[in-house]
Amino acid sequence: MAELTDFMKLDMRIGEIISVEYNHEALKPAYKLQIDFGEEIGVKNSSAQLCENYKEDELLGQKVISVVNFPAKRVAGFKSEVLVLAAVTRDKGTVLLKPDFDVEIGSKVL
C-alpha cells in the first residue's frame, strides 16, 4: 500500500506543449513532445502514446500535467524526461489529464 509520503515524492507540474512530432520508431503509435515548464524546470521531452485521440496540431499549446522528477528513459530512440499524465479508458482510449483553467506553466500539482 502506498503512503502519502510516497505520493509527496512526486514532483508534478503544469507544462505547455510547444512541439509535437510523430515517432516513427515507436512500436505503438506515439508522439515526441517538447513541453515548457517555465524558468525553474525549462523545456523537457516526453514520449506519449496519444495518437488515437489527438492530432499533432491539436496538442500544440495544450497545458498538461506531468511528473518531472522521474529519471530520463530512452523510448524508441528518443530521450523521454517527463511522464505526461493521462487516463487509459476502455471506450475513450488514452485521454490527457489537464487543468480546467488556464494556469501558469511550472505550477505545482498537489
Side-chain angles (χ1 to χ4, degrees):
M1 175 177 279
E3 300 289 332
L4 180 59
T5 53
D6 297 320
F7 177 78
M8 297 306 291
K9 292 176 187 175
L10 299 176
D11 187 359
M12 294 182 287
R13 302 289 181 114
I14 301 296
E16 182 176 348
I17 298 173
I18 59 171
S19 173
V20 182
E21 180 184 334
Y22 188 79
N23 188 346
H24 296 282
E25 295 181 37
L27 296 177
K28 294 182 181 179
Y31 291 124
K32 297 189 254 185
L33 307 176
Q34 281 194 313
I35 305 169
D36 185 0
F37 292 96
E39 239 179 78
E40 184 181 345
I41 295 171
V43 175
K44 300 289 183 184
N45 294 323
S46 183
S47 177
Q49 295 176 353
L50 301 170
C51 299
E52 72 181 306
N53 283 326
Y54 303 94
K55 293 182 178 20
E56 292 177 40
D57 62 332
E58 293 172 331
L59 289 171
L60 276 177
Q62 287 277 345
K63 300 267 178 86
V64 294
I65 302 168
S66 300
V67 178
V68 299
N69 66 334
F70 284 148
K73 182 178 177 180
R74 273 210 108 49
V75 179
F78 181 70
K79 183 180 177 184
S80 186
E81 302 170 290
V82 299
L83 175 67
V84 175
L85 299 182
V88 180
T89 70
R90 277 187 295 243
D91 21 336
K92 302 251 190 275
T94 304
V95 179
L96 279 173
L97 298 182
K98 51 190 177 178
D100 287 340
F101 298 98
D102 186 25
V103 295
E104 183 178 331
I105 60 173
S107 296
K108 286 190 172 216
V109 176
L110 303 174

